[in-house]
């Protein structure tokens, strides 16, 4: 975090200060901010966030032992550290992030990019960050720090010399993206797609559209909305951008897109295509597995070139990216048995894309194996969407369908109903049972996809399989 006095922090978050011995209102604080006491380092700020399972106030002493210089709390605790008491530490965290970003904007060259969409946010964030890092100091989220806590923590990592802040905005309910985007007033807003992810929380696809469009509404008259021309709902956000006075930059596979891909070739080692931006064209070999990541790369290029990066530099930097992130289309195993661990997150759209990738990259003499778990946060749409995944797996000719967990059972039932009844589809209640089965079932030439939402825990099954067949 940039250096601020205790008084400045207290004013920004409207808190009541209780000074520890040796501190004054003018004492400077410049350490990193975190909600995890184990990650606090000397000079850091500990945010004592209450949680469902535990309470951060119980760990203030641990944070002090690790060197915390300040604690943001909702009630004063008996600890030898300066404390600022606020009604809501999560709201205070957001207020502090807003203050820090505004100060850096005022004193430097900071440009802010916000990214949202039902799928692809983390991959696009990582691709864009890789491009921008070549231009100057860039701050982007760790993992999927995209909620009311993770996004402000990322914002608080900016320094006086940060040139670019890439913020990933996730949401499970209306209004969340508006609140997060309002902290930073983005210069560029990227909307990837509007799909069924989190549809249960939003209340349907149209409500999802309105939630994702909150990022476009947050753009000012100097802002640029980077929109997916191939997604009709995203394209419908162009008039919203116009209402804000923002301009629109289109990316997509069609000829009308300003940033587009042609001649796409998908292989087991990545995807090659020709990228065109503003009339210039260059070949790009993206090592991140899956044709669906072409759109994520186009979005990153569109945002980067909007910020002044040359197409040649953007392409060269993207070609250095090997994986999107751990547990996201991550290649494991060996040439004998290849494992694709994509079990960090799942929605109907990403599940479909991953299954299609599996079918595309499996060659003659090789066998497709899909290990599938539940998709979360679908609400009333869960049963139908799990049925559709089972149907798609059969229609794509996936040769072994391994469904894991009671919440995903309908995938198995639908696969059997569609004709996968001769042991092509199997069901296991637990990941351990599935692992034991796969240990004996997998053979040379198998190409294995492990795909589920984070809550299903199959990412660890993917890791175990990767180690077993490496």
């Amino acid at each position: 975090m940039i250096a601020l006095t205790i008084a400045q922090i207290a004013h920004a978050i409207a808190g009541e200060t209780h000074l520890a011995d040796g501190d004054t209102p003018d004492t400077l604080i410049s350490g990193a901010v975190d909600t995890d006491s184990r990650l606090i380092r000397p000079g850091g700020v500990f945010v004592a966030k209450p949680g469902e399972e535990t309470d951060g106030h119980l760990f203030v002493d641990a944070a002090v032992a690790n060197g915390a210089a300040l604690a943001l709390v909702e009630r004063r605790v008996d600890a030898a550290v300066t404390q600022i008491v606020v009604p809501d530490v999560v709201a205070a965290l957001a207020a502090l992030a807003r203050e820090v970003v505004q100060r850096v904007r005022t004193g430097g060259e900071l440009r802010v990019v916000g990214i949202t969409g039902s799928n692809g946010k983390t991959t696009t964030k990582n691709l864009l960050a890789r491009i921008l890092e070549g231009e100057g100091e860039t701050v982007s989220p760790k993992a999927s720090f995209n909620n009311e806590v993770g996004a402000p923590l990322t914002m608080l990592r900016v320094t006086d010399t940060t040139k670019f802040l890439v913020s990933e905005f996730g949401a499970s309910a209306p209004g969340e993206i508006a609140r997060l985007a309002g902290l930073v007033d983005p210069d560029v807003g990227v909307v990837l797609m509007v799909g069924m992810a989190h549809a249960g929380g939003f209340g349907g696809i149209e409500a999802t559209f309105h939630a994702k469009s909150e990022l476009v509404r947050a753009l000012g008259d100097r802002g640029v909305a980077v929109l997916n021309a191939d997604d009709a709902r995203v394209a419908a956000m162009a008039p919203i951008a116009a209402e804000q006075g923002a301009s629109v930059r289109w990316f997509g596979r069609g000829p009308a897109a300003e940033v587009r891909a042609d001649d796409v070739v998908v292989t087991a080692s990545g995807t090659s295509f020709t990228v065109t931006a503003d009339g210039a064209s260059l070949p790009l070999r993206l090592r991140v597995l899956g044709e669906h990541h072409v759109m994520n790369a186009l979005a990153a290029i569109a945002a980067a070139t909007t910020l002044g990066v040359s197409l040649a530099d953007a392409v060269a930097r993207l070609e250095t990216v090997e994986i999107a992130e751990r547990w996201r289309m991550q290649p494991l195993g060996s040439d004998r048995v290849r494992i694709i661990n994509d079990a960090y997150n799942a929605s109907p759209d990403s599940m479909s894309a991953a299954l299609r990738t599996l079918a595309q990259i499996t060659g003659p003499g090789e066998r497709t194996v899909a290990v599938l778990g539940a998709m979360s946060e679908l609400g009333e749409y869960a049963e139908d969407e799990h049925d559709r995944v089972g149907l798609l797996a059969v229609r794509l000719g996936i040769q072994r369908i391994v469904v894991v967990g009671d919440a995903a059972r309908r995938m198995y039932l639908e696969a059997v109903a569609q004709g996968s009844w001769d042991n092509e589809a199997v069901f296991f209640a637990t990941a351990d049972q599935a692992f034991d089965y796969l240990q004996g079932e997998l053979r040379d030439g198998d190409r294995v996809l492990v795909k589920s939402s984070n809550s299903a825990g199959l990412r660890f099954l993917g890791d175990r399989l990767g180690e077993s067949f490496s």
Side-chain angles (χ1 to χ4, degrees):
M1 186 180 74
I2 64 172
L4 294 173
T5 67
I6 291 172
Q8 288 171 329
I9 295 172
H11 181 266
I13 66 177
E16 179 183 277
T17 304
H18 299 271
L19 294 169
D21 291 343
D23 281 347
T24 72
D26 293 327
T27 298
L28 282 173
I29 304 292
S30 60
V33 182
D34 215 300
T35 58
D36 189 336
S37 63
R38 296 167 296 182
L39 301 179
I40 293 295
R41 296 294 178 263
V45 179
F46 177 59
V47 181
K49 185 178 78 70
E52 293 181 3
E53 297 182 2
T54 188
D55 185 347
H57 293 78
L58 301 175
F59 298 92
V60 175
D61 279 331
V64 173
N66 283 334
L70 176 67
L72 307 186
V73 296
E74 294 181 1
R75 63 180 185 273
R76 193 174 178 185
V77 299
D78 184 15
V81 66
T82 291
Q83 301 169 43
I84 301 179
V85 182
V86 294
D88 184 332
V89 294
V90 174
L93 182 67
L96 183 58
R98 181 188 298 109
E99 177 74 11
V100 166
V101 172
Q102 287 178 348
R103 284 175 177 264
V104 175
R105 269 189 181 279
T106 300
E109 302 177 348
L110 181 65
R111 305 288 299 280
V112 180
V113 181
I115 300 173
T116 195
S118 298
N119 297 108
K121 294 184 294 297
T122 298
T123 298
T124 303
K125 170 262 297 185
N126 288 338
L127 296 178
L128 179 57
R130 178 63 61 87
I131 296 172
L132 295 179
E133 285 164 0
E135 302 294 311
E137 182 181 319
T138 300
V139 171
S140 64
K142 302 173 183 176
S144 291
F145 270 34
N146 61 18
N147 62 11
E148 61 180 357
V149 173
L153 287 177
T154 298
M155 297 167 191
L156 286 165
R157 288 170 43 218
V158 301
T159 71
D160 292 318
T161 56
T162 301
K163 190 169 182 180
F164 300 106
L165 168 63
V166 180
S167 288
E168 179 184 339
F169 297 141
S172 56
E176 292 181 10
I177 293 173
R179 286 192 291 274
L180 295 175
L183 302 180
V184 292
D185 299 326
D187 302 286
V188 179
V190 181
V191 185
L192 299 169
M193 65 176 299
V194 175
M196 290 298 294
H198 311 298
F202 287 121
I205 195 72
E206 290 306 318
T208 303
F209 163 81
H210 289 293
K212 300 304 180 185
S213 67
E214 290 170 8
L215 176 56
V216 178
R217 296 183 190 279
L219 297 172
D221 57 8
R222 297 181 185 177
V224 179
V226 174
L227 302 180
N228 182 350
D230 299 348
D231 186 308
R233 290 187 175 88
V234 175
M237 296 180 191
I240 298 173
E243 291 173 4
Q244 315 309 313
S247 59
V248 174
R249 186 160 172 79
W250 299 102
F251 69 93
R253 300 281 292 270
E258 296 161 86
V259 180
R260 69 177 187 274
D262 297 298
D263 306 320
V264 177
V265 178
V266 181
T267 70
S269 60
T271 305
S272 298
F273 56 98
T274 299
V275 58
T276 298
D278 304 315
S281 297
L282 288 172
L284 192 161
R285 181 177 178 274
L286 189 67
R287 286 190 277 179
V288 180
L289 293 181
E291 184 175 0
H292 52 294
H293 289 308
V294 171
M295 291 297 285
N296 298 330
L298 293 177
I301 292 170
T305 53
T306 296
L307 293 168
V309 181
S310 71
L311 176 61
D313 284 341
V315 167
R317 292 164 191 167
L318 285 180
E319 289 188 333
T320 69
V321 180
E322 296 183 5
I323 64 170
E325 187 141 333
R326 186 183 180 192
W327 300 319
R328 296 177 187 271
M329 297 302 286
Q330 181 181 7
L332 299 170
S334 63
D335 288 340
R336 186 170 66 88
V337 177
R338 291 180 184 156
I339 311 295
I340 303 172
N341 194 353
D342 193 33
Y344 187 84
N345 210 345
S347 69
D349 295 304
S350 69
M351 188 74 80
S352 172
L355 285 169
R356 293 180 190 280
T357 296
L358 176 64
Q360 285 177 314
I361 68 173
T362 303
E366 299 174 342
R367 186 174 64 158
T368 51
V369 180
V371 183
L372 308 176
M375 302 176 289
S376 62
E377 299 184 64
L378 292 175
E380 64 184 286
Y381 308 97
E383 292 186 353
D384 288 345
E385 294 302 330
H386 282 86
D387 287 350
R388 289 190 180 96
V389 170
L391 172 61
L392 178 63
V394 173
R395 289 185 173 175
L396 288 172
I398 304 302
Q399 291 156 282
R400 285 290 183 273
I401 302 169
V402 182
V403 179
V404 184
D406 290 336
R409 189 180 183 91
R410 288 186 68 110
M411 292 181 189
Y412 163 73
L413 296 175
E414 182 65 18
V416 171
Q418 294 297 327
S420 294
W421 45 266
D422 190 18
N423 290 326
E424 294 98 340
V426 294
F427 172 81
F428 298 99
T430 69
D432 286 341
Q433 292 170 348
F435 178 77
D436 291 341
Y437 165 80
L438 290 163
Q439 283 279 85
E441 173 66 20
L442 296 182
R443 65 194 190 205
D444 287 5
D446 282 352
R447 303 300 176 246
V448 185
L449 169 71
V450 182
K451 180 68 175 174
S452 74
S453 283
N454 198 359
S455 59
L458 295 198
R459 62 196 186 281
F460 303 118
L461 172 60
D463 286 344
R464 291 175 68 189
L465 290 172
E467 292 174 4
S468 181
F469 290 97
S470 62

